[in-house]
């Protein structure tokens, strides 16, 4: 099933994101964790891209396993920053052969090693170029892309960022998913601005449950997300107690999701980080709102 058909159903939904193992020895444990999350029957699941070498195939392996075993619609990530066109063509074919109908088209992070290379020689410098090639391939994918409610780190202003986002969407994007947000008002303000700019595709806010105090610094570094005082107080109070911090993080994320639902947002994406207990905690908290048994369909 295509994600665009899910998000257009005008009913509340929740989806989860997982990531593939970095090495083969971790595959079994990652597979078990992703299966436990799939057993919660989310609206769909996404699998991030294991870039480089043989690890990239794990993205498709995880996605195929969940699709085949649990009949969960899958969104496979595909990054292009370190890929050539032939590699991308092969990845597209592999996804088609696996029956994957949804692809998240991303540029990918610029590592220090990539920053030091000559970008003019890259086959892909921006996500829109990847989206153009996916569309040109003739593959019948539902295409997702990323957006930054708090401005992309490489943009000078938010309006410049939104202009670039519209260019990307106009290449054939069906829906957008945001980087992690911790303050819903920033997301709602962003939605107003992009609608005014003519970006009409569905946008799924991305929620990241913080269950360990040391995740905060990494989250800020990765996304530049604003941490509201209420959230900082939570970390200050419970960060030293792992069990309490886990529960508080789940509650904070649940509260964000409920607030988004109350403000007319019907589809929310959770960066569940291969943590079934976190996904289950959120799903249990929302079970009555979603009208389903969180333990399964």
């Amino acid at each position: 099933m295509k994600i665009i058909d899910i998000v257009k159903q005008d009913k509340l939904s929740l989806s989860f994101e997982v990531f593939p193992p970095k090495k083969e020895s971790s595959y079994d444990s990652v597979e078990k964790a992703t299966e436990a999350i799939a057993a919660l029957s989310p609206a769909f699941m996404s699998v991030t891209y294991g870039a480089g070498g043989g690890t990239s195939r794990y993205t498709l392996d995880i996605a195929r396993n969940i699709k085949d075993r649990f009949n969960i619609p899958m969104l496979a990530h595909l990054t292009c920053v370190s890929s050539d066109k032939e590699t991308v063509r092969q990845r597209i074919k592999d996804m088609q052969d696996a029956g994957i109908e949804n692809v998240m088209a991303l540029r990918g992070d610029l590592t220090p090693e990539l920053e030091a290379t000559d970008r003019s020689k890259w086959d892909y410098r921006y996500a829109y170029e990847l989206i153009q090639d996916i569309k040109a391939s003739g593959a019948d994918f539902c295409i997702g892309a990323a957006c930054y409610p708090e401005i992309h780190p490489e943009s000078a202003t938010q309006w410049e960022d939104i202009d670039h986002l519209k260019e990307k969407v106009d290449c054939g994007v069906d829906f957008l998913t945001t980087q992690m947000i911790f303050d819903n008002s920033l997301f709602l303000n962003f939605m107003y601005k992009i609608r005014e700019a003519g970006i009409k595709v569905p946008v799924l806010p991305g929620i990241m449950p913080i269950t360990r105090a040391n995740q905060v610094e990494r989250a800020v570094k990765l996304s530049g997300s604003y941490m509201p005082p209420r959230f900082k107080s939570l970390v200050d109070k419970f960060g030293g107690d792992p069990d309490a911090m886990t529960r508080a993080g789940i509650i904070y994320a649940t509260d964000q999701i409920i607030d988004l639902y109350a403000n007319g947002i019907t589809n929310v994406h959770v960066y569940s980080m291969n943590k079934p207990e976190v996904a289950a905690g959120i799903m249990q908290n929302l079970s009555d709102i979603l009208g389903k048994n969180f333990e399964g369909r």
Side-chain angles (χ1 to χ4, degrees), residues 204-218:
L204 281 65
I207 301 299
M208 171 74 170
I210 297 292
T211 56
R212 297 194 310 273
N214 61 8
Q215 288 179 292
V216 175
E217 183 178 351
R218 177 169 172 76

Side-chain angles (χ1 to χ4, degrees), residues 254-265:
T254 301
D255 184 58
Q256 274 192 275
I257 295 167
I258 292 172
D259 179 64
L260 289 165
Y261 287 159
N263 278 280
I265 305 302

Side-chain angles (χ1 to χ4, degrees), residues 10-286:
D10 195 30
K11 66 178 183 179
L12 302 182
S13 77
L14 197 66
S15 54
F16 293 116
E17 184 161 296
V18 297
F19 56 86
K22 293 182 179 179
K23 51 188 179 181
E24 188 173 358
S25 60
S26 303
Y27 187 88
D28 288 347
S29 62
V30 169
E31 183 179 65
K32 183 178 179 181
T34 59
E35 288 178 349
I37 292 173
L40 300 169
S41 299
F44 69 88
M45 288 174 62
S46 67
V47 189
T48 62
Y49 188 68
T55 60
S56 59
R57 70 180 174 85
Y58 296 144
T59 296
L60 193 54
D61 290 343
I62 294 292
R64 183 193 292 110
N65 178 59
I66 297 302
K67 177 184 70 70
D68 292 346
R69 288 201 59 197
F70 295 88
N71 196 31
I72 300 290
M74 297 304 299
L75 170 65
H77 288 214
L78 179 61
T79 64
C80 63
V81 69
S82 60
S83 295
D84 56 33
K85 288 182 177 290
E86 180 55 37
T87 299
V88 166
R89 280 193 289 269
Q90 186 59 51
R91 297 288 181 245
I92 291 172
K93 183 179 184 304
D94 291 342
M95 289 181 189
Q96 288 179 291
D97 291 344
I100 301 299
E101 297 183 278
N102 307 285
V103 59
M104 187 74 171
L106 305 165
R107 183 193 69 177
D109 295 331
L110 293 178
T111 63
E113 292 78 15
L114 288 173
E115 288 274 18
T117 62
D118 182 0
R119 296 194 199 185
S120 66
K121 297 180 179 179
W122 295 357
D123 281 359
Y124 299 97
R125 291 187 295 168
Y126 304 104
Y128 80 84
E129 296 168 320
L130 173 60
I131 294 163
Q132 288 175 330
D133 275 5
I134 293 172
K135 297 294 288 187
S137 74
D140 186 21
F141 286 127
C142 173
I143 302 175
C147 60
Y148 290 74
E150 299 176 53
I151 187 175
H152 191 285
E154 296 174 26
S155 295
T157 68
Q158 188 173 46
W159 290 114
E160 175 188 295
D161 189 26
I162 290 173
D163 286 342
H164 289 313
L165 179 62
K166 188 172 190 308
E167 290 174 354
K168 181 165 64 174
V169 169
D170 289 345
C171 288
V173 171
D174 295 293
F175 70 96
L176 296 166
T177 302
T178 76
Q179 284 288 334
M180 61 190 78
I181 57 169
F182 298 93
D183 186 332
N184 288 355
S185 63
L186 295 175
F187 168 75
L188 296 171
N189 182 260
F190 171 75
M191 287 296 294
Y192 173 79
K193 291 178 179 178
I194 65 171
R195 295 307 190 221
E196 285 290 300
I199 299 173
K200 304 301 184 183
V201 297
V203 183
L204 281 65
I207 301 299
M208 171 74 170
I210 297 292
T211 56
R212 297 194 310 273
N214 61 8
Q215 288 179 292
V216 175
E217 183 178 351
R218 177 169 172 76
V220 172
K221 183 178 180 180
L222 284 174
S223 65
S225 300
Y226 168 70
M227 299 288 183
R230 175 170 169 257
F231 181 78
K232 291 179 180 178
S233 297
L234 180 152
V235 177
D236 289 342
K237 178 67 175 178
F238 302 111
D241 183 334
D243 290 339
M245 185 64 217
T246 295
R247 192 61 192 155
I250 290 171
I251 291 171
Y252 188 90
T254 301
D255 184 58
Q256 274 192 275
I257 295 167
I258 292 172
D259 179 64
L260 289 165
Y261 287 159
N263 278 280
I265 305 302
T266 54
N267 313 103
V268 179
H269 191 58
V270 178
Y271 298 112
S272 47
M273 300 293 288
N274 292 9
K275 294 181 178 178
E277 69 281 5
V278 173
I282 292 172
M283 190 69 88
Q284 183 175 23
N285 289 343
L286 295 171

